[in-house]
Amino acid sequence: MKKSYQIWRGQEVPARADGNDGELVISDQLKEQYAKATGFFIVPFAANKKDLSPISLFLKIAGNEILPKGTDASIVTFNGNVERDKVVYDFSKDNIPARSSEFELVLSNSSSEAIKVNIYVVLENE
């Protein structure tokens, strides 16, 4: 089974302003050469910014809601404190197609400071 990651590096979620959470929307297509999307996780961009508790998210792939709006990003954050496989949100049994499927991620930041992250989707062939 061939496995890879699709990565969005250095994505900056703006700070909360004027009483509204900062929001970053990423809409993209997943890689054509992989059959399924099987997992998702986030890594803080800066080593000194490991706390992503101010970030909530919504994730949808191929029209399927994977994580509902308001999901706490810290549950899918790999920051070196635990093993990576413990934080990867595994949806391998859901048969979510990857081949050029629409990927939509909304990150909301309730902090007064912008936060940068790297975003990973696990892709596999059967």
Side-chain angles (χ1 to χ4, degrees):
M1 174 177 355
K2 186 175 177 186
K3 183 188 266 189
S4 185
Y5 299 102
Q6 187 157 340
I7 307 167
W8 292 264
R9 296 185 194 279
Q11 300 297 307
E12 185 169 302
V13 188
R16 182 177 179 85
D18 300 324
N20 296 313
D21 287 354
E23 191 171 272
L24 172 67
V25 177
I26 299 172
S27 291
D28 205 347
Q29 286 188 315
L30 295 180
K31 293 178 181 178
E32 169 68 29
Q33 63 268 38
Y34 291 92
K36 295 185 344 182
T38 60
F40 171 80
F41 64 101
I42 297 173
V43 178
F45 187 76
N48 63 343
K49 297 280 186 187
K50 291 184 177 185
D51 179 21
L52 296 187
S53 61
I55 303 287
S56 64
L57 59 91
F58 166 78
L59 175 61
K60 185 159 98 174
I61 299 175
N64 298 289
E65 183 178 287
I66 308 297
L67 293 167
K69 184 176 182 176
T71 300
D72 183 349
S74 62
I75 65 171
V76 291
T77 300
F78 176 63
N79 58 18
N81 293 338
V82 295
E83 297 169 22
R84 187 182 67 220
D85 64 339
K86 302 285 189 227
V87 298
V88 172
Y89 185 75
D90 181 359
F91 46 92
S92 56
K93 293 184 178 24
D94 296 334
N95 291 316
I96 305 297
R99 297 194 194 285
S100 298
S101 291
E102 278 298 315
F103 169 84
E104 181 183 348
L105 176 66
V106 179
L107 297 167
S108 300
N109 182 2
S110 62
S111 169
S112 60
E113 187 176 318
I115 298 174
K116 279 179 121 176
V117 295
N118 294 326
I119 299 155
Y120 292 76
V121 174
V122 182
L123 303 172
E124 295 184 29
N125 279 324
E126 299 178 85

